[in-house]
Amino acid sequence: MLSNEQIQHYKQQGFLVLDRLIDTDMLSKLKQQASTIVEKWVDDSQSPVFTTKDNDRSGDDYFLQSAEEIRCFFEEEAFDENGQLVQQRSLCINKIGHALHAIDPVFEAFSHQSIFGNIAAKLGIQQAQVRQSMYIFKQPHIGGEVNWHQDASFFFTQPQSVMTFWLAIEDATLNNGCLWVEPAGHLGPLRERFNLEGTTTKMESLHNMPWPSLDKGQPVEVKAGSLVVFHGSLPHYSAPNRSAYSRQAYTLHVTDGRCHYSSKNWLQANTLTLRGFDLSLTD
Ligand code: FE2
């Protein structure tokens, strides 16, 4: 389903946009399911806020155990100085992570389809393993910034293999905090690596190359249903959302079973069975 031109674009630029790949009925189904999960979620954590500011998750059991569960995280700006939510609870959730693809029936059925498998195969992944899923809300007014980073920092394999599937559930615009990427930035070095040692996490510096400034970045404004596929070494970023509209997205992180997956990665398949994508006979 991918043209040679698209494959070349991915190789040279490190990302690819597939405009309106998923139909609106399916998007509505995913959106409804995410909303139901949030409704049913009982906040029993001491630290359910998600921020990329310091990346220190040491001793944060709620986060670490979410590797193989379905858990909700609040936006960093969800609470006022008195500890009260600043808007309706459902509009305060930053994301749901990190095993929707393995546990939730709706997301599981969606996440392993051959439509994704065919893309992964064309872009170089031969033995796909879906490692992580996130439903990201980027809420109106308080949607948090996500600092420049490379996803391979969190899914370290040798050789590097992680690929990100980023599906726009809603239109993503400059106004509501769309993705930014550094075109061809995947050709540069991996700057850091997120290691888990026991219950301690540490961001290890690997290379001192600075993160790109916004003038080196390219905003990726896309319509709902569009899929952005990007290379694990591609630096990307998203701005805070100060608009009145959310910018919901669903992401999958996929590694190649032919590559060695580091035991230091925070996310391990201890209790869940790793699964890739269904096969298609038509492509
Ligand atoms: Fe990322």
Side-chain angles (χ1 to χ4, degrees):
M1 74 178 295
L2 295 185
S3 67
N4 286 338
E5 209 177 6
Q6 287 173 312
I7 295 169
Q8 277 308 106
H9 186 279
Y10 178 85
K11 282 186 179 159
Q12 290 166 3
Q13 302 298 310
F15 70 102
L16 184 62
V17 178
L18 300 169
D19 188 42
R20 284 172 271 208
L21 185 75
I22 304 297
D23 67 50
T24 50
D25 285 352
M26 180 51 80
L27 297 179
S28 301
K29 202 171 168 186
L30 297 177
K31 203 167 178 176
Q32 181 53 51
Q33 187 68 0
S35 166
T36 301
I37 292 169
V38 168
E39 248 170 62
K40 288 185 180 165
W41 176 56
V42 178
D43 172 15
D44 55 0
S45 152
Q46 297 301 307
S47 57
V49 169
F50 185 79
T51 170
T52 63
K53 269 193 185 145
D54 56 14
N55 268 320
D56 182 1
R57 318 236 182 267
S58 297
D60 183 349
D61 288 347
Y62 185 78
F63 174 80
L64 295 175
Q65 290 166 9
S66 72
E68 297 188 278
E69 295 190 21
I70 296 174
R71 294 190 168 183
C72 297
F73 296 83
F74 282 113
E75 294 280 5
E76 192 181 3
E77 296 177 23
F79 300 94
D80 64 19
E81 63 273 19
N82 300 317
Q84 302 299 310
L85 290 173
V86 297
Q87 51 196 26
Q88 195 182 314
R89 190 180 92 141
S90 62
L91 296 177
C92 287
I93 304 298
N94 171 289
K95 69 172 177 180
I96 309 171
H98 290 93
L100 288 158
H101 65 286
I103 299 173
D104 180 85
V106 173
F107 283 98
E108 185 188 19
F110 178 76
S111 302
H112 301 277
Q113 297 178 90
S114 59
I115 190 171
F116 303 125
N118 294 338
I119 294 166
K122 289 275 186 192
L123 298 180
I125 289 193
Q126 283 186 21
Q127 293 173 26
Q129 296 178 322
V130 181
R131 292 277 175 181
Q132 173 183 272
S133 48
M134 293 191 285
Y135 193 96
I136 301 164
F137 290 93
K138 201 80 163 181
Q139 299 287 4
H141 309 298
I142 60 167
E145 176 181 34
V146 177
N147 296 334
W148 283 101
H149 66 281
Q150 295 159 297
D151 288 347
S153 298
F154 302 89
F155 303 89
F156 193 85
T157 68
Q158 287 177 306
Q160 200 292 112
S161 67
V162 67
M163 191 179 283
T164 303
F165 288 71
W166 191 102
L167 172 68
I169 302 287
E170 298 175 317
D171 292 355
T173 67
L174 277 170
N175 203 32
N176 67 1
C178 66
L179 266 183
W180 285 71
V181 299
E182 182 195 16
H186 66 303
L187 302 173
L190 185 63
R191 291 160 176 81
E192 51 190 16
R193 185 173 165 186
F194 186 72
N195 294 326
L196 176 68
E197 285 157 23
T199 57
T200 302
T201 60
K202 197 170 166 230
M203 193 61 98
E204 175 191 0
S205 178
L206 300 179
H207 198 285
N208 61 7
M209 178 177 268
W211 293 109
S213 50
L214 274 191
D215 62 320
K216 296 269 184 347
Q218 177 181 318
V220 188
E221 293 188 283
V222 291
K223 288 287 177 197
S226 301
L227 182 72
V228 186
V229 188
F230 55 91
H231 189 283
S233 293
L234 187 76
H236 56 287
Y237 159 87
S238 71
N241 181 11
R242 300 299 177 205
S243 80
Y245 304 97
S246 57
R247 191 231 61 193
Q248 298 184 17
Y250 180 61
T251 65
L252 296 173
H253 289 93
V254 182
T255 55
D256 194 325
R258 298 173 301 164
C259 304
H260 177 257
Y261 186 85
S262 172
S263 59
K264 282 188 171 182
N265 290 329
W266 81 275
L267 202 145
Q268 300 291 331
N270 292 319
T271 58
L272 300 175
T273 306
L274 274 178
R275 205 179 138 194
F277 297 114
D278 298 336
L279 294 173
S280 155
L281 300 175
T282 57
D283 196 84

